[in-house]
Amino acid sequence: MKKILGDILLISVIYTLAYCFQTYVLVPFNSHERASVFFAPAAVRLMCTLIYGYRACFGITLGTLAFYHLFNDTGLENEIEFFLVASHSGLACGIALMVWAMQSSKVSGVRNPKIAFRSINALDVFQFSLIQATIDTILSHTLFLMFPNIMPDQSIYWVMVTFVGDLTGAYLIFILLNLSYSLGKRVVFALNDYRAKP
């Protein structure tokens, strides 16, 4: 139980920091307070869901709540709106993992999904990113329609911006991390070869 709570707290801290990075550093990409064409926290959602499974849902919800309460004046009117806006992304991660587990041969089990990390490739991660972006976009904009004061200027354009931002943020950062990891390994191998020479 301590490990699960520790994982949830770790995810919440990482997600809060990612949200801060998005809000205060990636300003040119933020088209709207609730929509961005490149949403970096989507990469944290992707990675944490792949690594931690369903417990990532709780960490992401806590991280969003922490960001909204500590760092950002969101314009939300009450605690119910805070919680609904914070929880939809965590819920989207859980549903996306469930959908992916049901249809992917590289994920076994729906209640406690086990991902075959040695056999998944970039296409599998893209598939999961696509599922997650679609579900998050649907949930968020359904919520915005139900509570219009959260995002008054609803349109198809903002739906597409949210979808593109979730997809690019998750997948492009995954590719960047993958390339960085491969490059780092090559540098280590090159240094070892250089040291091994007489």
Side-chain angles (χ1 to χ4, degrees):
M1 188 65 175
K2 282 183 180 178
K3 182 173 185 338
I4 292 172
L5 289 174
D7 290 344
I8 290 170
L9 285 174
L10 176 65
I11 294 164
S12 68
V13 169
I14 294 169
Y15 197 66
T16 303
L17 293 174
Y19 233 124
C20 289
F21 183 73
Q22 180 71 43
T23 304
Y24 302 117
V25 177
L26 298 180
V27 176
F29 297 105
N30 299 334
S31 313
H32 186 282
E33 188 178 86
R34 311 218 190 282
S36 173
V37 290
F38 181 76
F39 190 62
V44 175
R45 294 197 305 242
L46 172 77
M47 301 299 185
C48 288
T49 308
L50 287 175
I51 295 167
Y52 295 103
Y54 293 123
R55 68 187 78 166
C57 308
F58 301 102
I60 288 161
T61 299
L62 279 177
T64 311
L65 276 171
F67 172 76
Y68 283 163
H69 280 291
L70 298 173
F71 298 103
N72 193 33
D73 178 15
T74 60
L76 300 180
E77 291 185 353
N78 55 54
E79 289 298 318
I80 294 172
E81 289 179 1
F82 267 111
F83 181 74
L84 288 172
V85 171
S87 62
H88 86 268
S89 289
L91 181 61
C93 290
I95 295 171
L97 182 59
M98 189 183 300
V99 169
W100 195 46
M102 286 190 290
Q103 61 89 41
S104 175
S105 59
K106 296 178 181 178
V107 185
S108 59
V110 174
R111 289 179 63 188
N112 187 18
K114 303 287 184 211
I115 300 166
F117 284 106
R118 292 181 181 273
S119 61
I120 64 170
N121 55 35
L123 192 58
D124 297 311
V125 175
F126 178 76
Q127 181 186 47
F128 184 54
S129 301
L130 191 61
I131 293 168
Q132 202 172 70
T134 302
I135 293 172
D136 183 67
T137 301
I138 291 168
L139 285 180
S140 63
H141 286 273
T142 301
L143 178 66
F144 298 156
L145 287 171
M146 290 170 61
F147 297 88
N149 62 300
I150 296 176
M151 187 174 178
D153 48 343
Q154 273 292 296
S155 67
I156 294 297
Y157 172 75
W158 292 121
V159 172
M160 293 310 297
V161 167
T162 303
F163 174 76
V164 168
D166 280 354
L167 189 58
T168 56
Y171 195 64
L172 291 180
I173 291 177
F174 165 78
I175 294 294
L176 182 64
L177 289 173
N178 206 4
L179 289 172
S180 300
Y181 176 74
S182 299
L183 183 62
K185 283 184 79 172
R186 286 178 186 271
V187 168
V188 169
F189 288 143
L191 286 173
N192 287 340
D193 286 346
Y194 178 75
R195 288 180 186 155
K197 288 180 181 177

